[in-house]
Amino acid sequence: MAVLPVLTYPDPRLKAVSAPVERFDEALRAFVADLEETMRAQPGGVGIAAPQVGRRQRICIVDVSAREGVESHGRLVLVNPEILAWEGLEVGREGCMSVPDYTGNVVRAAAIRVRFLDEHGAAHEIESRGYEARAIQHEIDHLDGLLFLDRLVSRRNDLFRRKVYAPPPRRRAEGGGG
């Protein structure tokens, strides 16, 4: 497995629409393993989509199970996902590995029903709500060439610069040299 380089805004490859996956083979599963490794290497990463690493195929991974108190289906590999139904609307703060310096308030469906294939080609259909549903919608947007920036109602009022926490200064050992 490998951690892949993540494309960042305004890279034009992030705006491309991805093609459906047609072959479910070892090469696909190896890519999914690399994609998951890349997601888990990012602090707070709960989702990633293939276009974020420059691959234009309809593949994304979502896993919000590490978030305390959040309903989830665990690790989800979503190949050729399709949202079948949605209900309700909620505003929530989103960040993205491809937009590392900003977060934003985005309106999304509160609950969704989604159909997808896994990395072995098995069909699944789940209902998801809350934070997991938001993460799935965010990743599916990547497959359609959309970033959360495209979903902001107002860049002026709903876009926020991410706080950067500088590491504490290193102390020199007393009496030592450096």
Side-chain angles (χ1 to χ4, degrees):
M1 293 191 296
V3 174
L4 305 169
V6 175
L7 303 179
T8 56
Y9 178 82
D11 191 306
R13 292 174 287 178
L14 292 168
K15 302 302 284 179
V17 176
S18 297
V21 173
E22 296 178 0
R23 294 185 63 175
F24 293 83
D25 55 13
E26 283 306 314
L28 173 68
R29 288 183 280 281
F31 172 72
V32 167
D34 289 346
L35 191 62
E36 184 169 0
E37 177 102 2
T38 303
M39 177 186 81
R40 297 200 187 281
Q42 308 299 319
V46 297
I48 191 167
Q52 291 180 276
V53 296
R55 185 155 166 162
R56 288 163 51 175
Q57 284 191 298
R58 299 189 72 78
I59 305 165
C60 56
I61 300 172
V62 171
D63 186 353
V64 300
S65 63
R67 296 273 173 133
E68 204 168 297
V70 171
E71 259 182 66
S72 90
H73 290 86
R75 172 189 177 268
L76 296 170
V77 176
L78 302 111
V79 178
N80 300 337
E82 181 182 0
I83 294 174
L84 303 173
W86 62 273
E87 83 179 44
L89 293 173
E90 290 179 341
V91 176
R93 184 74 63 95
E94 295 185 15
C96 181
M97 292 179 222
S98 294
V99 188
D101 298 332
Y102 292 92
T103 62
N105 290 330
V106 177
V107 178
R108 301 258 186 211
I112 59 172
R113 189 171 69 235
V114 61
R115 177 173 45 209
F116 58 96
L117 304 171
D118 64 23
E119 69 267 45
H120 301 282
H124 301 270
E125 189 172 311
I126 63 168
E127 292 187 8
S128 180
R129 59 184 53 257
Y131 187 71
E132 184 184 64
R134 174 172 295 278
I136 292 170
Q137 292 169 82
H138 177 108
E139 300 309 330
I140 290 175
D141 270 357
H142 280 294
L143 307 180
D144 295 324
L146 297 171
L147 299 172
F148 80 85
L149 300 172
D150 300 308
R151 298 267 185 202
L152 298 173
V153 174
S154 162
R155 282 189 184 224
R156 183 175 174 180
N157 298 320
D158 294 323
L159 185 63
F160 308 96
R161 182 168 282 283
R162 194 180 289 266
K163 292 179 181 172
V164 177
Y165 298 98
R170 298 182 78 185
R171 292 185 176 193
R172 289 186 166 184
E174 288 196 26

